[in-house]
Amino acid sequence: MNELHLQDKFLIPFFREGLGYREVKPNTVTNSLIIEEDLQEFISQTELNKKPYETLLKKYGGNKNKLLKDIIKIIQERSYSSRNMALFINANKSITLQGIKLYLFYTGDSVIHNNALFDENIFSVVQELPYKYSYNGKQIFSFRPDIVLFVNGIYLGYSELKSNYTNQNALKNGRGKVIKDYFEAIRTYHQHFDSNDMLSEKEKECYRKDFLKIFEKAIHITTTDIGETFVIRTISDYFDEILATCNEGKFDREEVEKKARSVFKPYPLHKPDAEKKDKLKELFTALYGRGFVEKEILYYNFIERNVYATKNGKELKKEQGRLISPRPKQKFGTDKILAKIDDFLAHEQEDDYFEKLLEKQLVGVSETKKQELLKKRKEYSNNKNVYSLLMQYAAGFGKSNIIGWTALQLKDLRRNDEYVYDKIMIVVDRLQLRSILRFSIALNM
């Protein structure tokens, strides 16, 4: 399957029909990375926005363009000060303009609306988006990501596709292309902005946030071929090193690329031996499925800041902080835990469900061995019907964060219009771990 077929004949139809995205033409996306038609529709036509929008529009004398322009200005200003778009949307699910509240994103499974509002969110996919940047009337940079994703007109991230058909793959060529594009963008930033003595440091920072937003504000950037998909979330961590390389006049990306590849990790699969198209469906559902995008917004991204003691207790230091978001295996593990709990809940009234499930999995095993394993399985039960779920990870894997991400999702878990759990308790054996979890969870609530 060549790159064009992978994109146009398989992935885009899967986004439309499998994941519920709209396909939007590239020329409808502004250079601010906003689909104005989607944003306009969401703020004016959806349930919680209709009446407030009409009221607000009267204050603007019926000028829809001026109102939309002011909302886009708010989105731009606030997103520039957010580490990525997940953090921005989470902090700005609604905004207030002239005393009137409008929603930019609806969360799912609410107490009042269940998923009805969430289903009104507009998820969009764009092929071959020409991202161009001009300065002083001259185009200084351009590149064309293969697939770019949006929600309610707001940018989420992009994916670079590679084809084994042309002897290219995501492991080498895809990751290399993403890093090269970012490197060349910083090189252009250095040439036109950082080395411009006429600009103040504040102006340089503003240009950086605007120019590099497609890289640095993405929830994650992915690259895929028919076999593997790789994910990077923290590409901006290499900005200072790349800029230093440019300042030295070397323009050599070899060392930076080597370091970036070490965190540009493959996303795991539940079924590594599945058909290649089924692998892609699984991977792109986990990364771009509507519900999984919501999890990115609500749970998987937060900023870690240092704390200090005051007479009133502990307070956060005023600093940029460090982005905490899951590595592919961490997200895969957390999602797997939640899927297993979903399975538990779906069959909690069936006393022998898990025994029968194990019996099916043991087809072909000798009867003696089968009975031995079934007996061992029963020993894991806490009582008649409830089973423990044991998670084992290596030292340094990031278990504390996995506990935090899991707890956050469990506290919001609802079934049959009710919360599943009255309380989530985290019991730890170290003061340091308790502190880490307390502040990471508090920042997300």
Side-chain angles (χ1 to χ4, degrees), residues 221-268:
I221 299 170
T222 66
T223 180
T224 190
D225 53 38
I226 200 70
E228 290 185 294
T229 296
F230 294 79
V231 184
I232 188 168
R233 294 172 176 271
T234 54
I235 198 167
S236 61
D237 287 353
Y238 303 98
F239 173 83
D240 290 334
E241 186 172 350
I242 295 173
L243 189 61
T245 300
C246 294
N247 281 324
E248 292 169 5
K250 294 179 179 178
F251 305 108
D252 182 5
R253 69 174 186 272
E254 184 177 344
E255 282 301 312
V256 172
E257 188 168 328
K258 184 178 177 181
K259 291 177 183 178
R261 284 175 184 270
S262 69
V263 299
F264 209 152
K265 298 281 190 179
Y267 200 89

Side-chain angles (χ1 to χ4, degrees), residues 54-293:
E54 291 172 2
T55 303
L56 189 56
L57 188 59
K58 290 177 182 177
K59 293 190 173 188
Y60 274 78
N63 192 333
K64 294 182 180 180
N65 292 334
K66 177 66 168 61
L67 173 51
L68 183 63
K69 185 177 179 181
D70 284 354
I71 291 173
I72 290 173
K73 185 178 179 182
I74 292 173
I75 291 172
Q76 287 178 311
E77 289 175 351
R78 295 187 185 180
S79 64
Y80 287 166
S81 61
S82 297
R83 180 64 189 268
N84 67 22
M85 297 309 292
L87 288 165
F88 162 73
I89 297 173
N90 195 2
N92 296 274
K93 292 187 283 289
S94 66
I95 59 172
T96 301
L97 186 61
Q98 295 194 18
I100 296 173
K101 182 166 78 172
L102 290 173
Y103 287 85
L104 297 180
F105 181 78
Y106 294 140
T107 57
D109 211 7
S110 72
V111 174
I112 298 174
H113 301 279
N114 293 318
N115 280 319
L117 287 177
F118 180 76
D119 291 340
E120 292 193 59
N121 289 310
I122 303 167
F123 288 80
S124 300
V125 57
V126 180
Q127 293 190 72
E128 303 291 339
L129 175 69
Y131 180 71
K132 302 174 183 178
Y133 199 86
S134 298
Y135 179 59
N136 288 338
K138 180 182 177 182
Q139 182 177 301
I140 60 173
F141 179 80
S142 70
F143 88 118
R144 191 183 294 265
D146 292 320
I147 293 178
V148 187
L149 294 312
F150 298 81
V151 62
N152 302 330
I154 300 169
Y155 173 65
L156 294 174
Y158 76 86
S159 184
E160 184 70 35
L161 307 184
K162 289 299 170 188
S163 171
N164 302 125
Y165 186 81
T166 54
N167 295 319
Q168 292 197 334
N169 58 48
L171 173 68
K172 180 180 178 182
N173 308 97
R175 292 192 300 175
K177 175 70 162 56
V178 171
I179 297 163
K180 175 181 178 292
D181 287 336
Y182 184 56
F183 188 99
E184 290 302 320
I186 295 175
R187 183 175 177 174
T188 301
Y189 167 81
H190 168 262
Q191 179 184 350
H192 292 277
F193 305 114
D194 189 67
S195 59
N196 188 340
D197 294 333
M198 301 297 292
L199 297 175
S200 67
E201 291 303 313
K202 185 176 180 180
E203 288 172 324
K204 291 176 183 179
E205 183 64 17
C206 287
Y207 276 116
R208 173 194 170 177
K209 289 178 179 178
D210 187 42
F211 176 28
L212 301 180
K213 59 184 177 289
I214 194 166
F215 302 101
E216 298 187 344
K217 300 303 177 183
I219 295 176
H220 47 57
I221 299 170
T222 66
T223 180
T224 190
D225 53 38
I226 200 70
E228 290 185 294
T229 296
F230 294 79
V231 184
I232 188 168
R233 294 172 176 271
T234 54
I235 198 167
S236 61
D237 287 353
Y238 303 98
F239 173 83
D240 290 334
E241 186 172 350
I242 295 173
L243 189 61
T245 300
C246 294
N247 281 324
E248 292 169 5
K250 294 179 179 178
F251 305 108
D252 182 5
R253 69 174 186 272
E254 184 177 344
E255 282 301 312
V256 172
E257 188 168 328
K258 184 178 177 181
K259 291 177 183 178
R261 284 175 184 270
S262 69
V263 299
F264 209 152
K265 298 281 190 179
Y267 200 89
L269 283 156
H270 286 286
K271 298 178 180 178
D273 299 324
E275 293 290 324
K276 290 180 177 179
K277 287 185 177 181
D278 291 331
K279 287 183 182 180
L280 277 176
K281 286 180 179 179
E282 179 188 325
L283 288 164
F284 272 68
T285 298
L287 292 166
Y288 299 114
R290 293 163 65 100
F292 287 99
V293 171

